[in-house]
Amino acid sequence: MTTPTDITRAINDLLFTPGLDLTEAIDRHFAPDYRQRTNGVWSDRTSFARHMTRLRSLIRGGQVEVQDELRDGLSYADRHTVALTHHDGHTSRTEVYLFARMAPDGRFLRVEETTLLVTGDTEDANLGLIK
């Protein structure tokens, strides 16, 4: 990868580009030994793929808005909001605080994030962990 990825490109490919194969989207933005901790719960790349598959089954569309983004060498951090439209028509908005380590090839190697439901159904608070 010549240009390091960022959260906007990753989420757009993972959730908001339905014609893009999920495996291709994950390969594009996440290193083979990728790990993620969301709200204290660790997932490996296989578990992350299951999570994305489940989210794709629930989400019709949405957008990412980055409020703050910092990059220093292989360290990456941001604060972003994800607005989602679910297949049943309801909407939700989640604020995410993310700290990441990038692989030398520019893909995410490790992400640690905390999420905060801003609007939506109470069940939407668990979207970051659903599998």
Side-chain angles (χ1 to χ4, degrees):
M1 172 176 286
T2 54
T3 303
T5 194
D6 60 39
I7 200 62
T8 302
R9 286 191 299 242
I11 291 176
N12 282 334
D13 281 356
L14 291 168
L15 294 178
F16 308 140
T17 309
L20 179 60
D21 177 73
L22 182 59
T23 300
E24 182 181 338
I26 291 172
D27 287 345
R28 187 179 289 177
H29 299 285
F30 301 90
D33 51 348
Y34 175 72
R35 293 187 66 216
Q36 177 171 316
R37 184 171 71 168
T38 302
N39 297 337
V41 178
W42 281 103
S43 299
D44 61 13
R45 187 174 154 135
T46 300
S47 181
F48 176 73
R50 279 195 310 273
H51 169 63
M52 286 299 123
T53 298
R54 180 73 173 125
L55 281 179
R56 279 186 169 196
S57 77
L58 299 172
I59 304 305
R60 182 172 62 208
Q63 67 182 54
V64 179
E65 181 182 343
V66 175
Q67 287 81 28
D68 300 293
E69 186 175 46
L70 303 166
R71 193 182 296 269
D72 182 17
L74 296 178
S75 296
Y76 175 91
D78 79 30
R79 180 174 62 95
H80 65 274
T81 304
V82 182
L84 301 173
T85 301
H86 300 248
H87 284 298
D88 68 6
H90 86 276
T91 60
S92 64
R93 204 164 132 251
T94 301
E95 189 169 359
V96 181
Y97 299 83
L98 180 149
F99 293 89
R101 186 76 178 162
M102 307 302 285
D105 67 2
R107 295 184 289 175
F108 287 111
L109 178 61
R110 185 184 74 242
V111 165
E112 297 185 50
E113 65 183 9
T114 298
T115 65
L116 171 66
L117 182 65
V118 178
T119 62
D121 295 344
T122 55
E123 304 86 49
D124 295 334
N126 294 318
L127 285 176
L129 297 171
I130 196 166
K131 293 197 173 63

